[in-house]
Amino acid sequence: MRAFLREVAEMQMDKDLHPFYKARTVVPPQDGWLRELRHVGGVPLEDIARRLHTTRFGVMRLERAEKAGTISLKALRRMAGALDCDVVYAVVPRTRTLVSRAAEMTERKLWKKRIRRKF
């Protein structure tokens, strides 16, 4: 029963992660998403700084940290909120979906049972 529940949970997770599989192939803008969104939206540094209760330098520091990959999720969410955006976060399997992994595990178990029965 526990194995069945795990398989159902894996299938549900795979379904939930499906929209993110394509997202991982998107190449981020050269200067990072935060700066790109700010520029495209035409939002001045001062406006963002005021919303975050920080300085222009503080905003630029956040943008550089995001570009370098060193920004914290908390800071990223704050900055995204100041840009009237949401952070969408997911961890997605690199090679196979969870359903295919579950199917492979099930197949292995079946083969083991067949081999034991023969001997």
Side-chain angles (χ1 to χ4, degrees):
M1 182 67 168
R2 192 178 292 176
F4 173 75
L5 292 175
R6 183 180 301 148
E7 286 181 31
V8 170
E10 286 177 350
M11 288 172 44
Q12 182 60 47
M13 183 178 286
D14 190 54
K15 181 182 172 187
D16 293 343
L17 288 174
H18 186 74
F20 296 97
Y21 292 130
K22 185 171 177 138
R24 70 177 166 201
T25 62
V26 175
V27 178
Q30 185 176 3
D31 290 327
W33 289 108
L34 296 175
R35 187 168 185 201
E36 186 74 15
L37 285 166
R38 187 174 58 76
H39 280 286
V40 168
V43 183
L45 276 171
E46 294 81 9
D47 289 358
I48 300 297
R50 193 171 28 262
R51 293 175 195 169
L52 294 175
H53 305 290
T54 189
T55 62
R56 292 177 51 178
F57 179 74
V59 173
M60 291 187 310
R61 193 173 66 234
L62 287 171
E63 290 176 349
R64 282 195 304 268
E66 188 252 338
K67 179 182 176 184
T70 58
I71 194 169
S72 70
L73 280 173
K74 182 178 179 180
L76 182 62
R77 285 186 180 113
R78 282 186 62 228
M79 180 74 171
L83 290 164
D84 197 29
C85 294
D86 292 317
V87 173
V88 180
Y89 178 84
V91 177
V92 182
R94 288 185 181 151
T95 54
R96 295 175 288 170
T97 66
L98 295 172
V99 171
S100 67
R101 288 183 194 177
E104 183 180 305
M105 289 173 58
T106 303
E107 188 175 325
R108 283 185 195 166
K109 288 177 186 176
L110 290 173
W111 276 107
K112 284 180 183 178
K113 286 180 182 178
R114 287 179 188 160
I115 291 172
R116 287 183 191 151
R117 287 181 185 163
K118 287 182 179 180
F119 296 105

